[in-house]
Amino acid sequence: MNLKLFQDTAINALKTELYKLWKGGQRGARLVFKAPTGAGKTIMMAELLKRISGDAQFDPDKAFVWISFNPDLVDQSYRKLRDYLHGGIAGLYDTSEISTRGKLAKNDVLFVNWQKLVQSERSQRNLKLRTDGESVLSFDTFIAETKKDGREIILIIDEHIGRNT
């Protein structure tokens, strides 16, 4: 797929800003990427991940967690990245693979449905993704195991989750 000039320009600007924040020690800073509907935000993010995962000048031990509020959007983003990248970065996973993977490797991307991580004040249901079991690894343990290796996590929030997130 050939990117349009405006997409390439946006990706390069985002990459430059990410590097500046990362190298400046501002790992917790928010970096917001906005584009109009139909501009190809998911493809641009896929290309950004590809570029920063294969850049010898920016090669920290990092992994990505891609969170969406809408379960359909999580699946759609996962499929788009898989199709676009054709294995161009380490690994793309969804939460069904947490227990078998154990942790994220360098440059892996985990796709998560936000609603599976939080519970509303009205709903006190047990969140299986947040609970360790006999043969089940929780999201929290999975992230802790990833960080135990010294790997940093870049959080990608797809669309709007909420003001207090």
Side-chain angles (χ1 to χ4, degrees):
M1 172 181 202
N2 293 326
L3 296 172
K4 296 181 171 123
L5 180 59
F6 80 88
Q7 291 173 317
D8 190 57
T9 301
I11 295 163
N12 286 332
L14 192 57
K15 178 180 158 185
T16 298
E17 189 61 26
L18 174 64
Y19 286 12
K20 186 170 91 176
L21 290 170
W22 192 280
K23 291 175 182 175
Q26 298 176 323
R27 305 276 203 311
R30 291 180 184 177
L31 180 56
V32 179
F33 174 54
K34 292 181 184 182
T37 301
K41 289 182 287 293
T42 304
I43 294 301
M44 287 189 272
M45 286 302 300
E47 182 64 27
L48 174 71
L49 294 179
K50 180 176 157 186
R51 290 180 189 183
I52 67 175
S53 294
D55 187 348
Q57 294 180 342
F58 180 72
D59 196 31
D61 194 352
K62 66 195 174 311
F64 307 93
V65 174
W66 182 299
I67 294 183
S68 293
F69 185 71
N70 179 327
D72 294 332
L73 192 56
V74 172
D75 293 336
Q76 178 184 337
S77 298
Y78 172 80
R79 285 190 311 274
K80 268 191 180 177
L81 264 73
R82 184 194 63 215
D83 294 346
Y84 181 80
L85 295 171
H86 304 293
I89 62 174
L92 304 174
Y93 307 104
D94 64 19
T95 54
S96 69
E97 299 175 82
I98 284 177
S99 291
T100 56
R101 303 286 318 157
K103 60 186 170 187
L104 289 168
K106 184 176 181 177
N107 295 323
D108 279 355
V109 183
L110 174 68
F111 291 84
V112 181
N113 175 356
W114 176 250
Q115 294 173 356
K116 289 185 177 182
L117 293 179
V118 298
Q119 57 189 29
S120 69
E121 293 174 12
R122 288 177 272 159
S123 169
Q124 295 302 316
R125 62 183 161 70
N126 182 16
L127 295 171
K128 291 181 183 175
L129 197 52
R130 301 294 299 273
T131 307
D132 284 312
E134 197 171 301
S135 62
V136 178
L137 195 64
S138 73
F139 175 80
D140 299 51
T141 301
F142 183 79
I143 295 300
E145 290 298 316
T146 299
K147 289 182 172 184
K148 206 184 283 185
D149 283 352
R151 191 161 299 113
E152 295 191 62
I153 296 174
I154 296 175
L155 179 65
I156 299 168
I157 301 174
D158 191 5
E159 300 296 332
H160 305 285
I161 290 181
R163 291 184 201 185
N164 297 325
T165 305

